[in-house]
């Protein structure tokens, strides 16, 4: 018998959950065991069942490896036992390769995945990867996968914030490996929220678009959907998109910032009459990057750079400051956290013209940059030693 969740039977919940576990040599055996125990306890709290939530575990290593596919285990305790029995694979940390593999697993019938159900990825990492993570992670999110990331403390905040689903505050956790139990209940609740059958809703809202999702109302053979989008102040400028009956999501892009949009989902069924669903979504204000770069405290080997910070609800997650000689040569860079808008650049050459670039990184994964020129002054010229006065008399000391 499946448990009840929030007063409703867990059989009402459906979804495919993939655990992506860093099993490479960059993780110590102690850390691996702690993470494995954490995932096992998390799985035991979830309503796993044949017609409910299904779980799979994929290892990150030199090559991705499936520990068990979706549907192999029919209870949370069985999934917990299987996770506890998983052995560390070692090898390189090829997370990007594992994410591309996970994308296939999440949508492959051969792996036990089901069409038309919510997809969730939980990635537990020590923060490092031998290959790029951003592009394959974005492909997963573009397919409607909700991405949760748990970092044990050594990951890059900007990169992981861009990789996780938005908002990052809900989908990204930085936790010491010995304190993972602290987030178990919160992560469980977030996973259930992502999988719960619900009406038309929006996520991944940015200044230029958002993603829509809805429960499965039709099949490919029983009808199709018409999705309509229009600015609330200009209904005549509506955009329409026809989608097949097995679709459960769509992403609108190229929208105006800080604007209310009215959305209508119209199911056209050849079996029964279904009501249309409506939603109003407001895009975020435009992502404004750094403005008015000011160079001060210029010294032969250092200078201070300040800028007007990005403001508003979609303010920058942080800044990347890069400085390099205009005539070519090695560049250096500094990471500046959100909330700060200046930094001192050291180790420069005297009498040299530099290009300073300040880049703001946003939760959407986009960046905004501004550059300015700066020159370091010449260093003090070396002076010839003064001639010593010669004595005209007396004894030598």
């Amino acid at each position: 018998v499946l448990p009840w969740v929030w007063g409703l039977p867990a059989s009402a919940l459906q979804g495919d959950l993939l655990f992506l576990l860093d099993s490479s040599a960059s993780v110590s055996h102690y850390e691996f065991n702690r993470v494995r125990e954490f995932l096992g306890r998390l799985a035991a709290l979830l309503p796993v069942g044949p017609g409910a939530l299904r779980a799979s575990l994929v290892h990150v290593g030199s090559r991705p490896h499936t520990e068990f596919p979706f549907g192999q285990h029919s209870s949370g305790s069985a999934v917990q036992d299987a996770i506890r029995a998983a052995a560390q694979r070692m090898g390189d940390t090829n997370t990007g390769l594992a994410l591309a593999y996970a994308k296939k697993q999440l949508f492959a019938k051969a792996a036990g995945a089901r069409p038309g159900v919510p997809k969730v990825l939980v990635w537990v990492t020590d923060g490092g990867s031998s290959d790029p993570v951003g592009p394959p992670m974005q492909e997963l999110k573009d397919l409607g996968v909700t991405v949760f990331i748990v970092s044990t403390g050594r990951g890059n905040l900007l990169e992981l914030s861009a990789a996780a689903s938005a908002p990052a505050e809900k989908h990204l956790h930085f936790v010491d490996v010995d304190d993972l139990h602290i987030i178990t209940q919160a992560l469980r609740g977030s996973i259930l929220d992502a999988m719960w059958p619900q009406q038309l809703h929006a996520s991944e809202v940015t200044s230029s678009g958002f993603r829509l999702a809805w429960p499965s109302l039709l099949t490919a053979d029983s009808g199709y959907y018409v999705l309509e989008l229009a600015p609330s102040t200009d209904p005549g400028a509506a955009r329409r998109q026809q989608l097949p009956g097995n679709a459960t999501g769509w992403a609108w892009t190229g929208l105006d910032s800080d604007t209310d949009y009215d959305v209508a989902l119209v199911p056209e069924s050849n079996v029964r009459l279904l009501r249309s669903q409506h939603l109003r979504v407001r895009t975020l204000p435009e992502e404004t990057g750094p403005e008015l770069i000011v160079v001060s405290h210029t010294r032969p080997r250092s200078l201070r750079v300040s800028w007007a910070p990005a403001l508003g609800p979609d303010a920058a997650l942080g800044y990347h400051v890069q400085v390099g000689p205009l005539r070519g040569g090695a560049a250096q860079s500094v990471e500046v956290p959100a909330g700060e808008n200046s930094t001192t650049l050291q180790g420069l050459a005297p009498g040299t013209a530099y290009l300073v670039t300040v880049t703001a990184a946003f939760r959407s994964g986009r960046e905004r940059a501004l550059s300015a020129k700066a020159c370091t002054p010449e260093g003090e010229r070396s002076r010839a030693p003064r001639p010593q006065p010669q004595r005209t008399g007396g004894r030598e000391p």
Side-chain angles (χ1 to χ4, degrees):
V1 179
L2 289 171
W4 285 58
V5 182
W6 300 325
L8 295 172
S11 57
L13 182 149
Q14 287 192 334
D16 292 336
L17 169 63
L18 191 145
F19 294 115
L20 191 64
L21 175 61
D22 190 344
S23 187
S24 67
S26 70
V27 180
S28 70
H29 290 296
Y30 175 79
E31 290 175 322
F32 180 81
N33 291 335
R34 297 295 291 172
V35 171
R36 186 176 57 182
E37 183 64 22
F38 160 70
L39 289 181
R41 291 180 179 177
L42 176 63
L45 297 173
L46 296 171
V48 177
L53 189 152
R54 294 183 181 179
S56 174
L57 175 67
V58 170
H59 292 268
V60 175
S62 295
R63 297 180 62 84
H65 172 76
T66 298
E67 183 71 25
F68 53 86
F70 298 107
Q72 178 171 324
H73 302 293
S74 57
S75 69
S77 60
V79 172
Q80 181 181 30
D81 291 341
I83 293 175
R84 285 175 169 173
Q88 189 170 1
R89 306 286 297 180
M90 306 303 287
D92 293 331
T93 314
N94 291 329
T95 308
L97 186 63
L99 287 169
Y101 177 80
K103 183 181 74 171
K104 296 178 181 179
Q105 297 297 100
L106 277 165
F107 295 94
K109 289 184 179 180
R114 295 163 291 178
V117 302
K119 310 287 184 178
V120 173
L121 174 76
V122 176
W123 172 33
V124 185
T125 174
D126 69 346
S129 178
S130 303
D131 57 352
V133 170
M137 189 68 87
Q138 189 60 50
E139 289 181 16
L140 281 167
K141 292 189 290 186
D142 288 343
L143 291 170
V145 178
T146 301
V147 177
F148 295 94
I149 301 177
V150 179
S151 173
T152 53
R154 296 192 294 273
N156 182 289
L157 173 61
L158 298 182
E159 293 179 358
L160 293 179
S161 295
S165 291
E169 304 87 72
K170 182 179 178 181
H171 297 87
L172 173 61
H173 299 272
F174 276 90
V175 190
D176 186 84
V177 73
D178 290 319
D179 296 324
L180 286 167
H181 63 279
I182 294 174
I183 66 167
T184 302
Q185 289 293 342
L187 183 55
R188 170 188 179 270
S190 297
I191 291 171
L192 294 178
D193 283 344
M195 292 190 171
W196 200 259
Q198 51 193 310
Q199 299 297 305
L200 174 68
H201 68 284
S203 63
E204 304 280 345
V205 181
T206 68
S207 60
S208 61
F210 50 83
R211 175 172 295 282
L212 296 169
W214 56 87
S216 180
L217 304 173
L218 303 169
T219 64
D221 300 325
S222 66
Y224 60 92
Y225 296 101
V226 175
L227 195 59
E228 299 178 350
L229 172 82
S232 300
T233 57
D234 188 10
R239 296 163 58 177
R240 291 176 177 83
Q241 181 69 39
Q242 183 171 317
L243 300 169
N246 58 356
T248 57
W250 178 257
W252 287 111
T253 59
L255 306 182
D256 294 332
S257 62
D258 203 18
T259 302
D260 286 322
Y261 285 91
D262 289 326
V263 180
L265 176 70
V266 184
E268 298 287 357
S269 172
N270 53 30
V271 177
R272 65 188 189 279
L273 180 64
L274 294 171
R275 293 182 178 180
S276 59
Q277 299 184 23
H278 299 268
L279 183 68
R280 176 168 289 184
V281 184
R282 187 177 186 85
T283 53
L284 297 177
E286 181 64 36
E287 296 165 333
T288 57
E291 299 178 359
L292 191 64
I293 291 180
V294 176
V295 177
S296 61
H297 297 80
T298 306
R299 302 287 186 268
R301 296 190 178 277
S302 68
L303 58 85
R304 187 165 187 79
V305 58
S306 306
W307 58 92
L311 302 174
D314 205 23
L317 292 168
Y319 301 93
H320 178 81
V321 181
Q322 186 175 53
V323 58
L326 279 174
R327 294 186 176 182
Q332 61 170 289
S333 59
V334 177
E335 300 294 335
V336 180
E340 298 183 16
N341 66 325
S342 64
T343 188
T344 298
L345 302 172
Q346 307 277 0
L348 307 181
T352 303
Y354 286 94
L355 181 67
V356 179
T357 301
V358 180
T359 304
F362 296 91
R363 290 188 180 90
S364 65
R366 288 189 290 270
E367 297 179 340
R368 297 287 186 270
L370 184 67
S371 298
K373 295 179 182 179
C375 294
T376 53
E378 293 283 354
E380 291 187 4
R381 297 180 181 275
S382 59
R383 297 179 179 177
R386 290 182 178 180
Q388 296 294 322
Q390 296 185 0
R391 297 178 183 269
T392 58
R395 293 182 300 176
E396 292 292 332

